[in-house]
Amino acid sequence: MLRAGGIHRGQQGLPPSELLAAHAWDVKGALRAGCAAAFVSRPGKVLEPLAPRPDVVGADLEAVAARLIALEQ
């Protein structure tokens, strides 16, 4: 299940959730907190080159959602 707020869950001692983010710093933070992360690549938005690569990257929300669903099956 896709949920926002995975970082808070991790801070509370609960298992981390997945986080879907469109900003590189959100992805970086989610991955460092132990969450799975996806990045929607939009014009002018790029991943940080030194940060870990998110679990899913796609050109638009539909592509990212399809990949996330495939990962859960």
Side-chain angles (χ1 to χ4, degrees):
M1 175 180 279
L2 183 66
R3 293 187 182 109
I7 293 171
H8 270 91
R9 289 175 57 84
Q11 289 171 342
Q12 295 172 0
L14 300 171
S17 296
E18 296 88 6
L19 174 68
L20 176 65
H23 301 286
W25 62 85
D26 291 331
V27 170
K28 182 178 172 181
L31 291 170
R32 289 184 186 229
C35 297
F39 181 77
V40 179
S41 180
R42 302 181 329 253
K45 304 294 180 192
V46 296
L47 290 167
E48 293 190 30
L50 300 178
R53 185 142 177 96
D55 303 284
V56 173
V57 177
D60 56 33
L61 191 55
E62 185 176 343
V64 168
R67 289 188 183 123
L68 288 171
I69 291 166
L71 285 175
E72 297 237 345
Q73 295 179 350

